Amino acid sequence: MGEFDLIARYFTRPARRAALGVGDDCALLTPAPGMQLAVSSDMLVEGRHFLADVPPRHLGHKALAVNLSDLAACGARPLAFTLALALPGVDEAWLQEFAAGLLQLADAHGCELIGGDTTQGPLNICITVFGEVPHGDALRRSGARAGDEVWVSGAPGQARLALGALRGEWALPDAVLATLRPRLEQPTPRVPLGLALRGIATSALDVSDGLLGDLAHILDASRVGATIDGDAITNLIAASTCLSSENPLFDTQQWPLGEAWRQRCALAGGDDYELVFTAPAPLHAAVLAAGRKTGTRVTCVGRIDAAPGLRLTDAHGRPMAGDFASFDHFAG
Ligand code: ADP
Ligand code: MG
């Protein structure tokens, strides 16, 4: 099968919202009046961003999910995406599964595949997404103000927990790994929450490299500091319903890895694609309502201070020590 047959077979579908889709030199999108285009790219490299044995269906899902997550963080509605793909060879069974995972998530978000590039080489997947957001309404990193509350979605740390088990850093009971593994391989982009937070959140980002490290980007861009309750974040893993009731191992008291590891997973683990955002304290109830409306757990974990720097405390307000640097591709 040649390059063009491959594209036609796996990645070409009739254009829907796009004025022109796959098959020409450019795709054409017609932005609606009053809307801004939100654009973001993310690349996935084998060995760096995924393990070689990850099921291709999950990989297709994740490649798009991490991009949709960036749109979510900006409060943008997904429109379309392009797919640049380097493949070692044509493996039809692999392509079938990869495309299924990719296009299923795309359809769930009404996000259309409108073009791309296909080449032979070490497996590498680069997606660019396009979304739309009313002019001036995009959530940014720079809008946090002293007095705002700091919120997180979901239960950060689950992806890192699964990764550690798959890498053999620690053991998890099969049933626990089975519930955690989708958090790593098929993360849920928080698109509905991002949309619901327009006009409420003052800043937002999605956590890809580690919660506290990524939060620092908001603090830098907004020129503020924060006081964060580390216990409130760490306890979310145990509190997440999928883990606590059926899997008592994850009760705070019976944590198998020790408290320090639980904190590291929650505060510095990457790959969860949860949102961290800030909102004015008087909008506390509005944030909770946005979470309810979109079926997303949201938890207030601290507040923004005028004084720069991140102050991490435990539930009693005592300073919490630890190394919570987030992942950096070029560090060390
Ligand atoms: P060109 O040589 O003009 O850059 P290509 O021959 O690389 O275009 O691609 C032909 C068409 O197929 C283009 O419309 C391109 O956007 C699309 N395309 C290529 N690879 C992919 C892919 N992996 N997924 C979707 N569309 C693709
Ligand atoms: Mg061209």
Side-chain angles (χ1 to χ4, degrees):
M1 175 182 296
E3 174 187 335
F4 298 103
D5 293 332
L6 186 162
I7 296 165
R9 178 116 183 223
Y10 296 105
F11 301 117
T12 306
R13 297 193 300 174
R16 283 173 294 173
R17 287 167 72 172
L20 187 60
V22 169
D24 219 304
D25 288 299
C26 288
L28 294 174
L29 283 177
T30 312
M35 293 292 196
Q36 288 180 306
L37 271 186
V39 182
S40 181
S41 294
D42 260 301
M43 182 155 58
L44 265 68
V45 176
E46 185 175 302
R48 269 274 135 180
H49 302 97
F50 57 91
L51 305 169
D53 60 353
V54 66
R57 184 179 285 257
H58 297 178
L59 192 57
H61 174 106
K62 183 160 179 177
L64 183 58
V66 302
N67 279 277
L68 292 175
S69 175
D70 284 314
L71 292 182
C74 292
R77 183 182 300 285
L79 289 176
F81 69 104
T82 59
L83 170 67
L85 200 54
L87 297 169
V90 178
D91 175 343
E92 292 212 47
W94 189 96
L95 277 162
Q96 183 77 47
E97 284 293 295
F98 175 82
L102 179 84
L103 296 175
Q104 189 177 15
L105 184 66
D107 289 345
H109 289 273
C111 191
E112 200 173 350
L113 177 56
I114 56 169
D117 197 24
T118 305
T119 173
Q120 201 262 328
L123 183 57
N124 189 320
I125 305 152
C126 183
I127 286 179
T128 298
V129 277
F130 303 85
E132 65 178 11
V133 57
H135 204 284
D137 280 1
L139 305 177
R140 301 169 177 221
R141 297 179 175 190
S142 57
R145 296 291 171 259
D148 285 355
E149 291 177 326
V150 180
W151 295 79
V152 301
S153 68
Q158 296 184 338
R160 182 66 184 86
L161 262 175
L163 180 66
L166 293 174
R167 276 192 192 154
E169 288 173 83
W170 47 70
L172 292 175
D174 288 347
V176 174
L177 182 56
T179 35
L180 290 177
R181 197 168 172 163
R183 305 296 309 142
L184 174 70
E185 295 183 350
Q186 297 157 281
T188 305
R190 301 298 188 189
V191 173
L193 179 65
L195 293 175
L197 289 173
R198 281 183 196 161
I200 297 174
T202 49
S203 72
L205 57 62
D206 68 319
V207 178
S208 49
D209 297 330
L211 199 155
L212 294 184
D214 284 341
L215 171 63
H217 298 313
I218 286 185
L219 304 185
D220 288 345
S222 301
R223 299 167 181 277
V224 292
T227 303
I228 299 295
D229 176 350
D231 281 342
I233 299 170
T234 303
N235 288 338
L236 286 172
I237 298 181
S240 60
T241 49
C242 66
L243 296 178
S244 56
S245 48
E246 300 115 65
N247 298 301
L249 259 184
F250 279 77
D251 281 355
T252 334
Q253 304 305 318
Q254 297 171 42
W255 181 255
L257 310 172
E259 183 68 6
W261 262 110
R262 193 159 69 95
Q263 287 173 353
R264 284 211 1 225
C265 287
L267 301 176
D271 258 4
D272 283 297
Y273 300 95
E274 295 296 351
L275 298 186
V276 174
F277 56 97
T278 60
L283 295 186
H284 188 96
V287 173
L288 291 176
R292 264 197 312 277
K293 189 175 93 181
T294 59
T296 318
R297 174 196 287 269
V298 289
T299 308
C300 179
V301 297
R303 61 156 201 277
I304 296 292
D305 310 320
L310 200 153
R311 285 156 292 280
L312 188 65
T313 70
D314 66 13
H316 307 289
R318 295 176 299 227
M320 183 186 274
D323 174 14
F324 302 117
S326 61
F327 186 76
D328 178 336
H329 285 283
F330 295 103

